Amino acid sequence: SPERPGPPSCWASRYPQAVNCSWGLSPDPLLDTDFVVTYRSVRVPKCTATGPRSCSFGDLQVFSLTPYELNVTARNALGAASGTLPFLLENIIKPDPPESLRVSPIPGEPQKLLLEWSPPSSWPFPEYFPLQYRVRYSQDNDSVGPYEVTSHILTDLEPGSLHHVQVAAKDATDSGEFSAWSPATPAMGNKWA
Ligand SMILES: *[C@@H]1O[C@H](CO)[C@@H](O)[C@H](O)[C@H]1NC(C)=O
Ligand SMILES: *[C@@H]1O[C@H](CO)[C@@H](O)[C@H](O)[C@H]1NC(C)=O
Ligand SMILES: *[C@@H]1O[C@H](CO)[C@@H](O)[C@H](O)[C@H]1NC(C)=O
């Protein structure tokens, strides 16, 4: 039989609208292999292919205590093999990184900089499902937060010091995990302090 696919991974960067799942096969089979994906839940819709080894489904049941169970079956001339992933929807929430991180000076406050960012545009309802954020700006990977606002003031900056600022987002109720860090944005302490 072919290699067992998996383990599949599923994440909800567009909670509560949709879940994306993907899986791999290792080693990559030489034979043509197709995949049949099913999942069990309270409702039973299908996972629509978004690529050869990925799919997405919507019509989600939020706060359900019945786990979803994704079942990926690889089939080729040698046979079939399955991999499964049970999960609770709220446990797989993982927003995309925040966007449009901007750094601006604060008039009369040479040791401070204002950071502002936007929630990930893929997060459908920031008003109803707020996000919390962490900010990272020192070389030593320390981060500050969480904050439930989309701005933060860096203080005590050495004049001329260069920082690389990043922001990450997580569902405000603390479900699931933090997004990846946003791309590093340079922030320079005011040289003319
Ligand atoms: C997630 O699913 C949507 C369709 O619902 C698709 O457009 C998007 O490309 C998928 N994202 C990834 C990273 O596969
Ligand atoms: C997964 O789906 C395959 C094909 O439909 C089936 O044979 C297998 O029993 C399923 N596995 C689980 C754990 O449901
Ligand atoms: C900071 O994180 C990066 C990657 O996450 C790592 O390579 C680096 O060693 C870390 N630096 C410190 C000082 O911990």
Side-chain angles (χ1 to χ4, degrees), residues 106-169:
I106 302 175
E109 300 273 13
Q111 290 187 303
K112 298 183 181 176
L113 285 172
L114 173 64
L115 308 180
E116 296 169 285
W117 58 88
S118 306
S121 51
S122 55
W123 190 253
F125 306 114
E127 329 79 79
Y128 302 121
F129 297 96
L131 294 169
Q132 57 178 324
Y133 301 94
R134 293 195 74 84
V135 176
R136 174 164 91 165
Y137 60 94
S138 46
Q139 315 279 335
D140 58 8
N141 293 346
D142 276 349
S143 65
V144 294
Y147 308 113
E148 289 199 24
V149 291
T150 53
S151 64
H152 178 69
I153 293 177
L154 299 185
T155 57
D156 299 325
L157 295 174
E158 295 284 330
S161 61
L162 181 63
H163 298 268
H164 286 97
V165 187
Q166 295 173 291
V167 194

